[in-house]
Amino acid sequence: MNRNEFLAELHVEVEKIVLEQGYIVSRENERNEYVYVIESGFCSFCRDNHISGFLSEDDMIGIFDGEKSTMTIQTLTTVTALRFKKTGAIKQMINTPQKSYYFYSRLQRYQQQFVDKSIILTLSANERLTKCLKLIADTYGKPLDGGIMLPKAFTIDIIANYVEIRSEHMHYLYKKMIQTGRIKNHNGQLLIIIDN
């Protein structure tokens, strides 16, 4: 079941919206009355001002009914999303096997990001950065000239926050990785060099 089929079967009024970069879609410890399905763009989800993971195409925001948000979700780029009222929709999302599979596959993806980050945080700063870049490249990157290009949304500061490395140390590690040829700055975007 794809996103459009899923939404059509919910029988809810869906509105297409555009959210500017930096827009806070959902705040930690506050209730949200809408569910958002991302069509394009990137968001981060944070707890206590630390990025726990990222959301992109087909990911859903606000899917827990009646509960306060456990995360702050903010757009990293301009985001196009489909939005509908949460009231009654959550129950509909899980009332058939196909809809519940789509719904739970999204939840499983979020959970995997928490697990991946927990593992990364046990490593040294250099190893954390290397693993983080590989994880982001594998998930969101596009092959280009012997490497993988990260989307512009993944700036040095965003990556530093995700990996929980101080900004000064992150810039030092970044310069070392450029000097050793492990990454390149390609018109303001990071190009991760693939080892042969």
Side-chain angles (χ1 to χ4, degrees), residues 124-170:
S124 70
N126 191 35
E127 290 175 308
R128 286 200 316 259
L129 180 55
T130 301
K131 294 277 188 192
C132 170
L133 289 173
K134 181 172 177 6
L135 182 65
I136 292 170
D138 289 347
T139 307
Y140 304 109
K142 302 267 189 269
L144 178 73
D145 298 332
I148 300 176
M149 180 71 73
L150 300 187
K152 282 186 179 181
F154 295 98
T155 65
I156 295 299
D157 291 333
I158 293 295
I159 293 168
N161 184 310
Y162 178 65
V163 185
E164 297 186 23
I165 296 175
R166 288 185 338 271
S167 183
E168 309 80 40
H169 193 55
M170 176 67 181

Side-chain angles (χ1 to χ4, degrees), residues 2 4 18-19 29-30 54 64 66-68 75 78 104 109 119 123 125-127 130 138 147 167 169 179:
N2 67 33
N4 293 332
V18 176
L19 306 170
N29 296 317
E30 291 183 9
F54 304 98
F64 298 106
E67 294 182 18
K68 291 181 180 178
T75 60
T78 299
Y104 285 114
R109 188 173 168 307
I119 292 167
L123 305 172
N126 191 35
E127 290 175 308
T130 301
D138 289 347
S167 183
H169 193 55
Q179 289 169 354

